[in-house]
Amino acid sequence: MLKLAIKPGEKIYIGRSTLVIRADTTVTIYIDGDQPVLKDREAIDPETAETPLQRLHLLLQEIYLHGQSAQHMVSYRKLAREVEAQSDDAAGLVLRIEDWLAEGNCFMAIREIARFTRQSDTGSDI
């Protein structure tokens, strides 16, 4: 069972569903089952995914929450190459993501790209 502390207004993605917390205080929720779970801070809104880095983040999110397809992998390779070409730091990010994916841990790949995105310059085109 997964225990999460959720802030007011925060979203939780569970498989193909989205849970929005409508409360005035932080609440604790318990999730039992085998669906993938992603907190709002690791997710990216499809409407805001404009750069190759953001589109790669969104693609990893789709793979994690909805399952991997052959088309996802074609798109992944294209986006990963675009991100790698941006900088040495971005190339290192792609290597770390690929390590997580090789281990079958898409969740950690998403955490890695979310962490990188938060640390990178907001004006960057990566």
Side-chain angles (χ1 to χ4, degrees):
M1 186 170 301
L2 179 63
K3 177 183 173 182
L4 298 173
I6 309 300
K7 297 174 186 166
E10 188 173 8
K11 294 179 186 175
I12 300 294
Y13 302 91
I14 305 170
R16 295 189 178 276
S17 300
T18 303
L19 174 67
V20 180
I21 303 303
R22 300 278 187 228
D24 295 330
T25 62
T26 297
V27 297
T28 300
I29 63 170
Y30 297 87
I31 302 170
D32 192 14
D34 61 358
Q35 291 295 309
V37 176
L38 191 62
K39 287 185 83 173
D40 206 13
R41 72 173 176 247
E42 276 100 17
I44 186 167
D45 185 337
E47 295 175 9
T48 65
E50 297 174 352
T51 68
L53 179 66
Q54 292 167 335
R55 289 192 305 270
L56 181 59
H57 185 161
L58 180 61
L59 180 65
L60 291 172
Q61 180 176 308
E62 288 291 317
I63 290 169
Y64 176 67
L65 292 173
H66 306 142
Q68 179 178 315
S69 70
Q71 183 57 41
H72 281 133
M73 294 318 296
V74 169
S75 298
Y76 170 80
R77 284 189 281 282
K78 180 181 181 291
L79 285 170
R81 300 300 84 75
E82 286 182 46
V83 170
E84 278 180 323
Q86 298 297 315
S87 71
D88 290 342
D89 287 343
L93 169 68
V94 171
L95 287 175
R96 292 188 304 277
I97 288 171
E98 290 181 353
D99 286 345
W100 286 119
L101 293 176
E103 291 180 18
N105 197 336
C106 192
F107 175 76
M108 289 305 293
I110 291 169
R111 288 195 72 184
E112 190 76 38
I113 200 167
R115 186 178 313 120
F116 184 88
T117 302
R118 284 190 297 267
Q119 292 174 350
S120 67
D121 180 13
T122 56
S124 174
D125 287 335
I126 295 177

